[in-house]
Structures are given as C-alpha cells and as structure tokens.
Amino acid sequence: MAGAAALRRAARRAVRTLANSSAPPRTISLPERLLSSQASPEHRPRAGVSGSDLGQYPPERIRNFSIIAHVDHGKSTLADRLLELTGTIQKGHGQPQYLDKLQVERERGITVKAQTATMFYKHAVETSESLGTDTPSYLLNLIDTPGHVDFSYEVSRSLAACQGALLVVDAAQGVQAQTIANFYLAFESNLSIIPVINKIDQPTADPDNVKAQLKRLFDIDPSEALLTSAKTGQGLSQVLPAVIERIPCPPGSCDSPVRMLLLDSYYDEYKGVICHVAIVDGAMRKGDKISSAATGRTYEVFDVGIMHPELTPTGVLYTGQVGYVITGMRSTKEARIGDTLHQAKSIVEPLPGFKPVRHMVFSGVYPADGSDFEALSHAIEKLTCNDASVSVTKETSTALGMGFRCGFLGLLHMDVFHQRLEQEYGAQVISTIPTVPYIFEYGDESKVQIENPAALSLNTGKRVTACWEPTVIATIIIPSEYVGPVIMLCSERRGEQQEYTFIDAHRALLKYRLPLREIIVDFYNELKSITSGYATFDYEDSEYQKSDLVKMDILLNGQPVDAMATIIHNQKAQKVGRELVDKLKKFIERQMFEITIQAAIGSKVIARETLSAMRKNVLAKCYGGDITRKKKLLEKQKEGKKRMKRVGSVDIPQEAFHELLKVSSSK
Amino acid sequence: MLRSAFPLVFQFPHRRKPPPIPPRPPPVRRYASPAAAAAFPPLPPASAYVHLPFCRKRCHYCDFPIVALGSSSPFPRGDGDDPRISDYVRLLLREVAATRPVSDDGVPLETIFFGGGTPSLVPPKLVAAVLDALRGKFGLSACPEVSIEMDPGTFDAAKLRDLVGVGVNRVSLGVQAFQEGLLRSCGRAHGLREVHEAVGIVTGCEGLQNWSMDLISSLPNQTQDMWEESLRCTIDARPTHVSVYDLQIEQGTKFGQMYTPGVFPLPNETDSANFYKIASKRLSEAGYQHYEISSYCKTGYECKHNVTYWQNRPFYAFGLGSASYINGVRFSRPRRMKDYADWVQKLEDGTWCPESSTSELKDMAMDSVMLSLRTASGLDLHRFSKSFGKNLTLSLCTMFRPFVESGLVIAMDTERQALQLSEFDVDLENKGDTGSRVAFIRLSDPDGFLLSNELISLAFGIISP
C-alpha cells in the first residue's frame, strides 16, 4: 500500500493547497532557496512554484535525463543522493529509494514504475562574453526507469522524454546483461550517455576493468567514465556538472503552439487522472484548452506543475520542461501513453509515439474466493489505471468461475501485478499457468492467436496445419567456468546459439534464440542456481518460429480442468505431463472417493496417477458432553473445504494452482 | 447407613426387558432442542454428568482435566481418605447445592454419569454423598442409570460392592488394551494382571449386570494381531457394552510430543481404518450393535446417558472442567482447580450467571446434525425439517446424494429400513412433498462412520455456508 498511500498523501496535500487558493498563494522564489545550504522543510516550497520562476528556465537551462543500470548497481541510491544534493529531498528524511514508491519496489529492490523528479541546481559556466564566470540555475528532470527487461516498455517511454542517460555500472560486478539491454535502448534513442562507475568504495572494485569493458562492448572512451560511490558520496559532485555539460538541452520551439508527449498517467482518487508530460514545443498554462491527437478529445487544464518531488503546482510549463497536468479526464484509458497532447483547435504533427506494448505472457487471474469477483474486478480496474501495460479481458473458467485473462510484459511483470493486487488492494487471487501467445493456423488458412490454452479447441473440425511460438534473443553474461552448464541449459530449453564471446578475461557473453515459453517459468532461477548466482540475463522479443505444439489437458476423474490446460512442445509433453500429474497428486488431498489424475493430449493419456480414497477421518473419542471442541474442529474442516475449488466433485486446494505455476516448462 | 439411604430396588439390575430393535428414538418431546425453542419449549435436564478428576497418574494420551494423586492409596476405605479427594467432593457438593434446577415441577434425573479422571479412586461413601445431593436437589427417577468409570487396579470386590450398594448400576471399565507392553507404553497405571482381576471382579459382582469394556485402537506399536486379541478377550468377558475409542493425538500430551498421526510407531491411516473395521466386524458377529461411532452394545444396553448427548438433549454437569447444556446454553467449567473453586464461590454468591448466548438457529442445526449422524439412528429428517425448514433439509439431502450412491450415507424409511438410491431420488425430485419415504439418513457402518468428520463438515457447509 505504500505506493498508493504516498500518492494519496501527495494528492491530499495538493488538494489542500488548491482549497486554500482563495488566500494569496504563497509563492516562493524557488531556486535561490533550494540552493541555500541550509534548506529546511519550512523553506522548501510546498504551496506552489510560481510560473515566473519556471519562466527563468529556457530550454538551454534544462536537462532531462534518466539513470539506467543493471539491478542492484546503485541506481536508486544514486537518485536519492542527487535529490539530496539539490535539496529536493532532505538527507535522512523520507525513506530511502525515494522514487521507488511502491511496496513491491522496495521489497524487491526494483523499480517498476517510472517516476520523475524536478531538481534545481546552480552550475558555474564560463561565458565567452563576460570575463568571469556566471553561475546560472538549471532545471534538471530526473526520470527514473525500471531496470528489468519486462519493463523495457516503461524504459522506452521514459527515454523518449530524455536527451541523456547516466549508465550506472557496479565497479566490482562490471557490465551485466541489463546494462547491455539498457545501453542499447538508450543508444537507439540517440541519448548522450554518461558512464558512471559506481560503488568504487568496495574492496573488490575494479574500475579499470569496467572501463575496458565499456570500451570493448560499447566503444565508450574510458576517460568519459565518472567514478562514484553513492554510498560514501565520493565523486558525486561531478555528476550533475557532467549532466549539464554533456547532455544536450531539449530541442523544441518556444514560439510554436504547445505540443507535448504524454509519458505516463495514473489515477488519483482525489484529483482524477494525473498525466506526466514532457513539453516539446510552446507552453501550457492553467486554463488552456488542450486536445489529444489520438482521441481528438479536448480538455481544460485544471492544474499544471512539476514533481518536486511531489506534485507542486506552477500554473505553467514551458518548452523542454517535464511535469504533470490534470485535466477533466475521467479514466486513464483516455490518457494513452505516448499520445501527443497539443493546443486545442490547432493542427499539429503528432510526435512519434512509443513502441506499442507487446504482451508476452498471459495468465488467468481469478478471485481465490469465487464470491469476491466484484472486489477483484474493482481492484484490477484500479490497478490497471496505474499500470496501463497490462491487458485485461474477462473470461470464465468452469473450475474457477469468473475471472480475467491478463496479458503481461513478462513474468516479473506478472508477479509484480499479483503482488500489487494483494498489497495495494487486498485481493487474494489464483492465477493459472502462464502461457505465451501462440499462433495456430488451420487448413482454411485462418490464423488464431491463442492467449488461453483452454480456448484452443482441437475438435472444431478444422485441421491445424501449423503453429508458431514467440521467441526471444537472450543475453547471458557469466564467469567463463559456467559456460558449459549454461550451454547445456539453453539447449535443453530448445535454444539456438547466436553468439559466444568474452567480454574480459573472465567473463563470457552468450546470445541465444530461445522460445519464450521455455524461459517464462523457471529459466532465470535455474540459470542462477547452476551459476551460483553469477549469471545475469536479459532478453528482447524476437520473431515467431514454427513449432510442433500440442494442447495438454489435465483431467480429474475424467473431467478436463480448463484452468490447467497448457500448450506445450510435443517433445516436452510427456515430461511436463508427468510432472504436473505428480505435483497434483501431492497437493490434492485425499477425498472420500478415488481420484484419477491424468494428463492427456486429445484423447491420448500421457500420464496418469490415482489418488486413493480417504480411509478415515473420524473423531472416536470419549469427550463427555463437551461437544464444543469437536464442533470447532468440524467447522475448521468446513472452512478448509470452502477455500477449495471444485471441479466436478473433486476439491482442489488453491495451493495446487500455485504449485502448478512452478512446474518447469521443460526440465 | 449409606446403603440404607437407597431403596432396595436399586440393588437389582435396573433393566430386565430390552427395548425393541433397533433402538427407537425417544419420544418426540425428548428432542426438544432449544434450537427450535419456539416450536419445542425446552425440557429440564434429566441427566447429570459428575466429573471426578482423580487419577494415579496421567496417561500419555490424556488431555482431560485431571488431578494426578501419585501411586499412594490404590483403593482406600475407611478413614484413610485422601484430603484432596474429600476437599474436592465438598466443592462438588457446594456446586450441586448452589445449582438451581431448571424447573420446579420436579423432573427427576434419569441418568447420572461419574466420569473422570478415575472415579473409582473416590471412596464409595463420597460417591454416595454426591448421589444423595443430586437426589435431594433434582430427584431421581424410579430406575435411573448410574454409571461410573473404573480403572483396573483401583478397586477390589468390596469397593465395587459398596458402589453398587450406594446406587451405581453401570460400570465403564477402562481396560484400553490386553497387551502388557501397550498398557505400559500408554502410561497406564495398571498392567495386564490388574485388567484380568478387574474383569473378574466386575463379572463376579452380584447386582451388576450392565458394564462396558472400554478399548483404544491405533495405539503406538499396536498390530492387527494385538487388536484382534483385545477384541477376542473383550468378547470373552461378555460385557453388555463396548466402547472403542480411536487414539487421538492431542497437543500438549506426551504422545503429542512423541508422535505424529499416521507415522510409525502409530499405525498409518489404512491400518487405523482397518482396526476400526475389524472392531465393527468382530463385535457385530458377537451380537453387539454398533449404535454409535465408538459405541457397541447388546440389545437394550445403550448407554442412556450418552444417548442424551447424541440426541442433543439438555444435561447438568458438575465438577472440574465439566460441560453442561442447560436452557440452550453450553457451558464448560474452569479446568483448573483454583479457578473452579473460585467459580463455585461465585455461583454460591449469585454473582455468576450463564452467558445469555442466544445460540443461532444454524448452530442448533449443526449440533443436531453433528450429534445425530454419529448414531445408527441417524438424523430424523421430519423433525429436522420442522425445526430448520424444508429447504435446508432438501439441500442437505442433495449434498448427500453422491454419498448415498457410493454407500457412505444410507437413507432409511420410518421403520429405519434402508432405501434404494432410486427411492431417495424420487424424494429429492418431489422435494419431499409427495410420497416422501426418506425419514432418516445415517452414515453407513463402518465406511460412513469412518469418514464422519468429512461428511459432517460437508453438512456444516450447507447449514452455514
């Protein structure tokens, strides 16, 4: 709940501010205050930042940048330090990982949701005209990005608003798989890249080796690298000057009608839809009318401001600035990420949008207690307001009742979604075995994309003539002694080697084309375990490949359990079927009748187990007239049954569904 | 003197003529479950349970409220009474005295049960004092059933004769097993020799016809052969009643620390179920009726006191940790002596009154199902329907249908003759409106009984979803 609560708190503050606006707004000439070394909470602007202040920052005085890094290389700590250095947050106040607002982000040490913070910083520049130096103030927008591949969609979105990026690399661990992925994302977006070798205070730090890797892999000049320790503060003073000097100012025309890129949106229960925008041309003022290029709808600007780091109204945003805008949008569905918002009644060229979201993993999400469908529906609606990257459609399962088929960017994204549902909305869910989107082609040349294995009916009379499955290009970096086992793992997973190189004397880089299905469940865990945790892994989407796929049903007492159906490679069916059946036998409790558990392809049974009937469950004890304890026991037993899902007459414990998720896709 | 306090008739076996077979349920009003308080005004209790908590030592499986006396005074008589016992009985008598009878029109007690603990450790004159007090307070019917639990090694022929002399007419003998090793490993305070002696004393006691042999199955290291042997010895001793308990591993007991159910040396689920089936088979062959999950009797020798429980009828209770059911309220007394003494004080001062817990109707329905399905008589559907509604009754039957089909549940007509599934189905289709033949449902013996927890908790799910 931390994230939502923080946002709500921020919103409430902002609402209070608005409510008090009948009194003259307490505007503060902000930059000077911020730069004073004794910045204290009382001095920090909360009531509002006047538009005239922002007017002091033409594009030349603005830098928009993000920090990209492999997980745990110190991105969030570096962000905290920069926010402190500029007085945006106070050292020792507030929580660490300031920008990671969601509980799931803090718990997992990852960034899921892009966040933005505006900072002010004075920087001495030598001016050619004057004899001395000038110390103008700069407006710096730090746009935080998620590090994991699943969230590359968020990354590309954030990078679209930036002109540069700090590429943070751990001085001891060196370049890792996500470093590479993020570098290329930034590189393809034409960003200026400032390499930051962080954690140089560690005893095992080897910055020279890291510099050599950067040179070798990315052709980065070793002299460009900044050496820092976000922990001790060493080298931090060079960071913001480098941002100002090396990253170009945002392009754009101040005189044109306003045009902006919609970076992100979320729903706040007090203020409605809040859009994060990067102003490309012109200026947007409170009261302006703006239109969406995508929907053609027009809105009035009710509130506009910067994230400093909480919502801080300014009344205006100028060219090159990044901030928020609140309009009368009712739902985040109206706020299409990547859309161009522009001055109403003018015709503008839409800005290039982002790479559209591609859902790689689908899974059914059902209320753990069937009666909670409405509650789940509500929770999912709320959550997707803040995570537009999830696709949601209603579906019905005979085993699980009413639920949703959700599309995710990847498995971590799915996990995070489930965790947020639980933590932020208190929803208890059962999710079905994740699947990837397959394409089936029939004799009549019609093609169907299958996102739910249960939906694939093999008895439609139509003959399946071909199946395709999505693949990824995986990048794996490992110490060279693990190359053997990793190659073995990849070939077990039907991988096809694309590249095998050494990035330094000790570490190898492998590239494989792998079926997405083979990596979505346990590949990363397996990889970590066979490399003692040293492997790093990242992947990018690649094309579909033809594959020999079959639908495998799970039957309990002869009745197929739709929520347990999977699509699988023919060669793996036997093994996986065996494993699923064994797992179910372990997790389904004995009942008052015998239960047969089968895995079948069409009418052919490929694995079968029998769970014998429960023999005895009786309390034959001398208990006198004291029936209360016995009754409690039976009531507990009754409650236990309530938590089961019933297929036919068989009760399936929720854990069975959770356990099935863990069954390897290929082991 | 004590003896003379009781009418002579008590000296004779209290029952001559067994009732018709199978045991008929008591008359309608007896069911008077407070559940349907509106429909059936509650009757005053006609049963009393008296807890005599003393044991020589605690058995390894026991989690009852008991007081361990140590090895002294196996069967004292005369003046050498243990003050702990006499003090307790004094407390007990104070409780009886302070208890207000439910009705003034004098419904006499029909059953009294001295349970424990090991009640046979209590001197007969103290048992007599309690009986006197109960008689004075509530009155006794013409032939009440007065049961007492006795353990081998805690009484001799004279003591039993004294007990019978003061009015006890039914003995429940806690034998548990016929193997020296098993007795020892259970932590019983007696050996096999005492078992045989005790059986001899009980069977040789003139004036005592009605007695129960209590056994425990699924003991650690118990084999099928041992169990068969115990059953054979039991049948040879020709008790009128046999209780076969299935060992429950309770938390906080020595067994609870030592063993895990289903794991060696405890028998696994299959073996344990088998023991249950063997008991059912052997005892039935020997002419015992399996009238309740853990109870067998020769025709007419049901434990009337326990039948009170299973018919959900009210009963008084007295003593440490005992549970009463009066005016629709179930109340358990404190399990610790000090707390119990304080509670008795409050009862006397009139500063304690039972919680006016108005049990919900569905609680009553659950009690009724839970208790009646433990018995061979089963659940009286007409009565249940009257108290809790036709829809609920129908839902229960619908839920049970697959089990009627698989044989775990038996539908019976008014004569308690088993009905075919098709007849059950006809009733279901007619929603019990026309030609309704299904009058009772019961769990089958032994398979249905063996799964009673499952089946009853399913019924709970229907009553209280």
Side-chain angles (χ1 to χ4, degrees):
Chain A
M1 298 296 276
L7 289 172
R8 271 200 295 281
R9 274 196 304 278
R12 248 178 262 133
R13 265 202 297 275
V15 167
R16 272 199 298 277
T17 310
L18 287 176
N20 293 339
S21 63
S22 53
R26 195 169 69 92
T27 52
I28 294 164
S29 182
L30 162 79
E32 287 70 23
R33 294 284 174 127
L34 276 172
L35 290 170
S36 73
S37 53
Q38 324 87 321
S40 66
E42 302 88 81
H43 293 143
R44 287 172 55 211
R46 274 291 171 264
V49 176
S50 78
S52 60
D53 293 329
L54 284 190
Q56 296 169 23
Y57 299 93
E60 315 73 276
R61 296 276 192 81
I62 299 172
R63 299 292 182 275
N64 295 329
F65 70 105
S66 69
I67 308 178
I68 52 181
H70 188 80
V71 65
D72 281 343
H73 280 196
K75 179 168 67 83
S76 297
T77 314
L78 181 62
D80 283 355
R81 292 296 98 80
L82 297 181
L83 292 172
E84 284 164 17
L85 200 73
T86 54
T88 312
I89 60 171
Q90 272 204 301
K91 196 175 169 75
H93 285 71
Q95 32 197 2
Q97 293 184 39
Y98 185 85
L99 294 176
D100 290 341
K101 299 191 178 193
L102 304 175
Q103 187 182 345
V104 49
E105 294 181 314
R106 299 174 165 281
E107 281 176 7
R108 296 183 179 224
I110 56 171
T111 303
V112 167
K113 195 79 184 134
Q115 294 289 346
T116 307
T118 299
M119 304 178 282
F120 298 94
Y121 185 71
K122 276 197 176 184
H123 176 60
V125 282
E126 290 182 23
T127 50
S128 48
E129 295 97 48
S130 67
L131 293 170
T133 54
D134 187 12
T135 319
S137 181
Y138 285 82
L139 187 156
L140 307 177
N141 288 307
L142 167 57
I143 298 161
D144 195 18
T145 59
H148 191 277
V149 56
D150 279 8
F151 303 101
S152 57
Y153 165 72
E154 294 266 340
V155 177
S156 78
R157 189 194 309 179
S158 310
L159 296 185
C162 295
Q163 286 73 44
L166 301 175
L167 177 68
V168 177
V169 184
D170 184 301
Q173 294 181 18
V175 170
Q176 295 295 346
Q178 283 161 32
T179 318
I180 296 178
N182 285 325
F183 171 83
Y184 282 110
L185 279 173
F187 188 75
E188 283 161 13
S189 311
N190 284 320
L191 302 194
S192 302
I193 291 167
I194 301 173
V196 177
I197 300 176
N198 191 29
K199 304 198 189 180
I200 53 166
D201 59 308
Q202 298 175 100
T204 52
D206 187 356
D208 288 338
N209 184 41
V210 178
K211 282 181 190 169
Q213 290 175 354
L214 292 172
K215 172 72 185 155
R216 186 177 185 138
L217 290 164
F218 308 134
D219 198 24
I220 290 175
D221 185 341
S223 67
E224 287 176 19
L226 305 178
L227 302 185
T228 64
S229 164
K231 195 168 141 200
T232 65
Q234 197 183 343
L236 285 184
S237 58
Q238 324 155 50
V239 176
L240 291 179
V243 165
I244 291 167
E245 284 161 18
R246 298 198 213 166
I247 294 176
C249 60
S253 146
C254 299
D255 305 325
S256 305
V258 70
R259 195 164 67 131
M260 70 199 88
L261 187 61
L262 205 167
L263 297 173
D264 195 5
S265 68
Y266 64 93
Y267 186 82
D268 178 279
E269 60 183 288
Y270 297 98
K271 314 188 83 168
V273 177
I274 297 174
C275 298
H276 287 192
V277 292
I279 310 287
V280 177
D281 297 317
M284 168 171 58
R285 288 182 178 76
K286 188 172 169 179
D288 282 355
K289 294 271 199 308
I290 54 170
S291 296
S292 152
T295 65
R297 290 203 202 179
T298 297
Y299 303 94
E300 185 180 336
V301 175
F302 294 150
D303 185 15
V304 54
I306 55 175
M307 275 74 75
H308 183 60
E310 308 287 356
L311 299 186
T312 307
T314 58
V316 63
L317 280 176
Y318 295 102
T319 310
Q321 297 178 350
V322 175
Y324 72 91
V325 57
I326 298 171
T327 66
M329 283 185 194
R330 295 245 174 79
S331 144
T332 48
K333 291 192 180 89
E334 294 173 55
R336 298 196 188 165
I337 310 299
D339 190 9
T340 301
L341 300 178
H342 57 88
Q343 182 182 311
K345 290 180 189 155
S346 69
I347 294 166
V348 298
E349 176 82 2
L351 295 159
F354 313 121
K355 186 161 90 164
V357 186
R358 191 171 148 202
H359 296 112
M360 307 283 275
V361 177
F362 290 84
S363 153
V365 175
Y366 290 84
D369 179 351
S371 57
D372 285 348
F373 176 76
E374 284 308 318
L376 177 63
S377 174
H378 186 69
I380 287 184
E381 195 178 316
K382 279 279 184 75
L383 184 50
T384 48
C385 274
N386 288 326
D387 185 358
S389 52
V390 180
S391 74
V392 180
T393 46
K394 273 189 193 168
E395 72 174 17
T396 306
S397 148
T398 47
L400 300 173
M402 293 219 285
F404 300 91
R405 174 101 340 214
C406 297
F408 302 99
L409 306 170
L411 260 207
L412 178 67
H413 184 211
M414 181 177 99
D415 274 1
V416 164
F417 184 79
H418 289 157
Q419 200 176 337
R420 290 187 68 186
L421 268 180
E422 209 162 287
Q423 288 176 340
E424 296 171 32
Y425 299 93
Q428 296 289 323
V429 301
I430 289 179
S431 60
T432 63
I433 307 176
T435 187
V436 300
Y438 295 103
I439 293 172
F440 282 76
E441 187 180 333
Y442 295 99
D444 59 4
E445 287 180 16
S446 63
K447 284 185 183 176
V448 197
Q449 174 161 325
I450 296 292
E451 291 158 8
N452 177 2
L456 176 67
S457 167
L458 294 171
N459 307 321
T460 48
K462 290 204 268 186
R463 199 168 55 88
V464 173
T465 50
C467 337
W468 283 271
E469 65 178 333
T471 66
V472 297
I473 299 294
T475 303
I476 298 166
I477 293 179
I478 36 170
S480 44
E481 64 262 38
Y482 296 111
V483 165
V486 171
I487 286 179
M488 194 115 88
L489 173 69
C490 289
S491 73
E492 271 171 23
R493 303 294 175 113
R494 300 190 280 131
E496 189 186 298
Q497 198 180 87
Q498 311 273 304
E499 192 181 327
Y500 175 11
T501 49
F502 283 85
I503 60 170
D504 62 22
H506 310 291
R507 290 187 313 146
L509 182 154
L510 291 172
K511 273 199 179 190
Y512 268 87
R513 174 189 297 283
L514 284 157
L516 179 61
R517 170 71 164 93
E518 299 288 339
I519 61 163
I520 58 167
V521 178
D522 63 340
F523 181 80
Y524 188 47
N525 284 344
E526 191 71 6
L527 184 66
K528 280 268 184 197
S529 103
I530 63 171
T531 61
S532 315
Y534 281 111
T536 61
F537 166 66
D538 208 331
Y539 63 85
E540 56 187 292
D541 306 357
S542 189
E543 62 245 29
Y544 273 70
Q545 69 180 20
K546 245 187 186 171
S547 191
D548 182 11
L549 301 172
V550 290
K551 179 189 177 195
M552 184 167 72
D553 287 310
I554 297 290
L555 299 94
L556 296 179
N557 280 351
Q559 254 191 303
V561 185
D562 57 358
M564 291 184 181
T566 51
I567 290 170
I568 192 162
H569 193 267
N570 205 357
Q571 283 167 11
K572 303 247 160 137
Q574 184 84 40
K575 256 185 189 171
V576 175
R578 183 80 258 150
E579 233 176 300
L580 286 174
V581 163
D582 286 347
K583 198 76 144 196
L584 280 172
K585 186 179 179 183
K586 212 156 109 199
F587 281 90
I588 295 180
E589 284 159 33
R590 294 218 261 178
Q591 288 164 41
M592 286 186 277
F593 38 81
E594 186 179 272
I595 299 167
T596 55
I597 306 165
Q598 295 167 307
I601 294 168
S603 55
K604 188 178 145 216
V605 173
I606 56 168
R608 177 195 165 101
E609 278 291 342
T610 304
L611 187 64
S612 59
M614 176 194 292
R615 308 247 184 256
K616 173 179 164 236
N617 188 351
V618 58
L619 192 71
K621 188 192 171 185
C622 176
Y623 57 89
D626 189 1
I627 67 163
T628 47
R629 274 172 79 191
K630 177 168 173 55
K631 190 170 168 191
K632 272 186 195 139
L633 185 104
L634 292 169
E635 279 179 336
K636 225 172 117 187
Q637 207 162 322
K638 176 201 88 178
E639 291 304 318
K641 287 186 193 302
K642 231 167 76 174
R643 288 193 297 272
M644 306 268 203
K645 295 289 169 185
R646 173 163 289 198
V647 176
S649 52
V650 181
D651 288 327
I652 310 170
Q654 287 175 27
E655 301 84 67
F657 288 93
H658 294 306
E659 285 303 316
L660 287 186
L661 294 182
K662 296 185 197 157
V663 170
S664 133
S665 51
S666 54
K667 247 190 304 184
Chain B
M1 180 207 113
L2 276 172
R3 236 179 251 196
S4 62
F6 289 85
L8 197 65
V9 64
F10 279 40
Q11 306 275 346
F12 292 105
H14 78 286
R15 192 191 280 281
R16 292 287 169 103
K17 216 175 66 188
I21 319 166
R24 195 191 313 209
V28 169
R29 57 192 191 85
R30 287 283 171 70
Y31 273 91
S33 92
F40 310 98
L43 274 186
S47 294
Y49 175 82
V50 180
H51 194 66
L52 299 174
F54 305 98
C55 287
R56 283 167 49 197
K57 54 184 278 207
R58 187 181 279 279
C59 300
H60 296 344
Y61 50 77
C62 172
D63 70 338
F64 278 30
I66 67 143
V67 176
L69 296 174
S71 53
S72 63
S73 63
F75 28 92
R77 268 174 291 156
D79 300 327
D81 296 350
D82 189 316
R84 287 172 290 184
I85 299 181
S86 42
D87 287 352
Y88 173 78
V89 171
R90 214 166 293 133
L91 200 53
L92 198 56
L93 293 174
R94 282 169 56 199
E95 189 196 345
V96 174
T99 300
R100 232 177 326 142
V102 169
S103 94
D104 299 328
D105 55 10
V107 170
L109 295 179
E110 288 172 13
T111 75
I112 294 170
F113 196 102
F114 291 98
T118 311
S120 49
L121 285 173
V122 176
K125 62 170 185 187
L126 294 182
V127 174
V130 176
L131 278 172
D132 265 347
L134 291 174
R135 194 166 43 106
K137 191 82 186 183
F138 308 101
L140 294 185
S141 73
C143 344
E145 175 192 271
V146 181
S147 303
I148 189 165
E149 291 180 339
M150 304 186 82
D151 274 5
T154 63
F155 65 98
D156 56 12
K159 187 173 188 178
L160 178 58
R161 210 165 41 237
D162 287 353
L163 284 170
V164 171
V166 302
V168 169
N169 54 29
R170 185 176 179 277
V171 163
S172 184
L173 188 63
V175 166
Q176 322 306 7
F178 280 88
Q179 293 76 27
E180 190 72 50
L182 291 190
L183 291 173
R184 207 175 309 120
S185 66
C186 288
R188 296 289 292 173
H190 61 84
L192 189 54
R193 193 170 57 90
E194 286 83 359
V195 165
H196 289 302
E197 277 171 15
V199 169
I201 295 167
V202 169
T203 51
C205 179
E206 257 185 66
L208 181 78
Q209 302 300 311
N210 190 5
W211 69 285
S212 176
M213 176 93 87
D214 297 350
L215 298 177
I216 299 181
S217 66
S218 298
L219 290 169
N221 294 305
Q222 192 175 34
T223 63
Q224 183 174 331
D225 285 346
M226 293 178 190
W227 183 233
E228 296 262 17
E229 182 184 32
S230 288
L231 289 167
R232 218 163 34 238
C233 293
T234 300
I235 292 164
D236 288 349
R238 306 177 65 187
T240 50
H241 189 281
V242 183
S243 292
V244 180
Y245 300 121
D246 176 65
L247 180 70
Q248 305 288 324
I249 301 297
E250 302 289 353
Q251 269 188 341
T253 62
K254 193 159 182 193
F255 275 4
Q257 292 161 8
M258 293 168 72
Y259 304 128
T260 311
V263 177
F264 186 82
L266 294 180
N268 62 32
E269 191 188 299
T270 309
D271 289 341
S272 179
N274 212 25
F275 289 173
Y276 187 91
K277 290 181 185 174
I278 291 170
S280 175
K281 185 153 189 288
R282 295 281 174 263
L283 292 171
S284 300
E285 286 165 358
Y288 291 90
Q289 290 156 13
H290 194 177
Y291 74 102
E292 188 263 350
I293 280 178
S294 50
S295 312
Y296 298 80
C297 68
K298 293 279 188 181
T299 302
Y301 285 97
E302 292 87 0
C303 174
K304 290 204 286 177
H305 183 83
N306 285 343
V307 168
T308 306
Y309 299 152
W310 302 320
Q311 291 182 345
N312 205 9
R313 284 149 54 194
F315 51 90
Y316 295 107
F318 304 97
L320 185 73
S322 64
S324 58
Y325 180 37
I326 302 166
N327 289 331
V329 179
R330 292 190 187 275
F331 172 69
S332 290
R333 281 146 195 76
R335 288 169 67 94
R336 285 161 57 165
M337 195 58 88
K338 170 81 172 60
D339 298 341
Y340 171 64
D342 291 348
W343 175 83
V344 170
Q345 184 63 52
K346 277 191 193 153
L347 186 70
E348 287 175 327
D349 299 345
T351 53
W352 179 87
C353 59
E355 277 177 53
S356 57
S357 66
T358 42
S359 300
E360 282 184 61
L361 202 63
K362 65 180 179 188
D363 274 314
M364 298 299 180
M366 286 195 282
D367 287 356
S368 167
V369 165
M370 170 177 115
L371 295 167
S372 65
L373 289 184
R374 289 184 71 85
T375 67
S377 308
L379 176 68
D380 182 332
L381 293 177
H382 295 310
R383 183 158 313 285
F384 189 84
S385 191
K386 243 181 223 168
S387 301
F388 307 108
K390 215 167 73 180
N391 287 343
L392 184 59
T393 313
L394 203 63
S395 305
L396 274 183
C397 288
T398 309
M399 183 277 292
F400 277 134
R401 192 204 174 273
F403 306 106
V404 173
E405 188 174 14
S406 67
L408 294 179
V409 174
I410 298 171
M412 300 182 293
D413 64 14
T414 47
E415 302 301 312
R416 286 211 169 74
Q417 292 302 307
L419 295 169
Q420 299 295 313
L421 178 67
S422 55
E423 294 171 287
F424 182 78
D425 279 344
V426 167
D427 262 24
L428 273 189
E429 272 163 40
N430 295 337
K431 303 193 188 305
D433 274 344
T434 52
S436 159
R437 291 198 59 194
V438 183
F440 298 91
I441 49 173
R442 62 159 291 184
L443 308 188
S444 65
D445 175 21
D447 296 324
F449 278 159
L450 264 172
L451 295 173
S452 54
N453 283 357
E454 282 291 305
L455 292 162
I456 293 170
S457 55
L458 282 176
F460 277 19
I462 299 293
I463 296 167
S464 172

